[in-house]
Amino acid sequence: QVQLVESGGGLVQAGGSLRLSCAASGRTFSSLTLGWFRQTPGAEREFVAAISWLGDSTSYADSVKGRFTISRDNAKNTLYLQMNSLKPEGTAVYYCAAQPTFYATVVVTAEGYRYWGQGTQVTVSS
């Protein structure tokens, strides 16, 4: 079992920045491939970014590329998402996700993750 707890969401003006954190427990953090997703009411969960267990491979949705940065600190069992130049369409509940793996790959589909956090709300005002 893996427990994930997101934090760092809030209200920010367009063009501003936020840093989301996701604290993990229950399993060796370095054996997890990790990702961030977001969801708005009535929509499917959307891929945002992913990172391999070593942190040497990342992937981003085209809509956030160049503005968001995913990173991980295996010593602190924490995943991060630095979000810059936020846009109103970035308003959503953001979820972190984890999948145990033996492979140094990234996972970009929601179906590829077994464990999910409870989500943190990000609201970007125009």
Side-chain angles (χ1 to χ4, degrees):
Q1 287 286 351
V2 177
Q3 292 77 44
L4 303 170
V5 180
E6 302 97 334
S7 61
L11 174 65
V12 64
Q13 288 189 333
S17 298
L18 281 175
R19 188 175 83 154
L20 304 183
S21 299
C22 175
S25 61
R27 192 180 179 109
T28 303
F29 187 74
S30 59
S31 69
L32 302 173
T33 189
L34 301 167
W36 287 100
F37 289 74
R38 64 188 180 188
Q39 190 171 25
T40 55
E44 291 189 356
R45 202 160 288 190
E46 174 191 21
F47 169 72
V48 175
I51 189 167
S52 62
W53 65 271
L54 265 179
D56 57 349
S57 181
T58 59
S59 181
Y60 296 92
D62 287 343
S63 58
V64 306
K65 205 170 290 184
R67 299 186 297 117
F68 289 13
T69 302
I70 189 171
S71 63
R72 63 190 295 164
D73 186 334
N74 286 350
K76 295 183 178 180
N77 291 355
T78 303
L79 172 71
Y80 302 101
L81 185 68
Q82 178 66 43
M83 306 186 294
N84 299 329
S85 302
L86 281 161
K87 303 177 181 180
E89 51 265 41
T91 295
V93 177
Y94 284 71
Y95 298 90
C96 66
Q99 175 63 31
T101 182
F102 294 109
Y103 305 104
T105 57
V106 295
V107 177
V108 301
T109 61
E111 293 76 16
Y113 289 94
R114 183 182 307 174
Y115 301 105
W116 293 85
Q118 83 290 347
T120 185
Q121 176 70 46
V122 172
T123 302
V124 185
S125 64
S126 57

